[in-house]
Amino acid sequence: GEGYVRIILDLAMVDFIDSTILGVIVQWFKRVSAIEGNAAGPGEGNLVICNIGFKIESLLKLTRMDRVFSIYADDAEALDAITGDSP
């Protein structure tokens, strides 16, 4: 209702993504990040990723997308970060 968009992309059940899916995630990230002149801070548009497996982590590192996306170990950590409750 406040116009904010916060997305947690939980990849716990995903073993593999290809370049097409990675492109879709990048597009989501761009759209969400553009909301409210976002600087990827709490209370504005934000997309984070959590629960990635080894193959996906390797892909994100290879493509240097690990520097673009905020990646968290689990959904609780991601939720804390995206709502601004983390220390």
Side-chain angles (χ1 to χ4, degrees):
E2 298 173 10
Y4 303 128
V5 176
R6 298 180 188 124
I7 298 173
I8 297 174
L9 186 57
D10 186 343
L11 300 179
M13 303 291 283
V14 179
D15 292 327
F16 173 81
I17 60 174
D18 62 14
S19 60
T20 302
I21 299 302
L22 185 57
V24 170
I25 295 169
V26 168
Q27 288 299 317
W28 289 350
F29 180 78
K30 286 181 179 180
R31 276 192 177 166
V32 170
S33 296
I35 295 171
E36 299 285 323
N38 181 34
E44 299 172 342
N46 203 352
L47 180 146
V48 300
I49 299 173
C50 68
N51 290 318
I52 62 172
F54 177 76
K55 289 180 185 178
I56 296 173
E57 180 180 11
S58 297
L59 173 67
L60 294 177
K61 285 182 179 180
L62 179 68
T63 59
R64 297 186 182 210
M65 289 290 111
D66 61 326
R67 298 178 183 187
V68 175
F69 300 120
S70 296
I71 302 170
Y72 297 95
D74 57 43
D75 52 346
E77 189 178 312
L79 184 61
D80 285 346
I82 207 165
T83 59
D85 293 338
S86 59

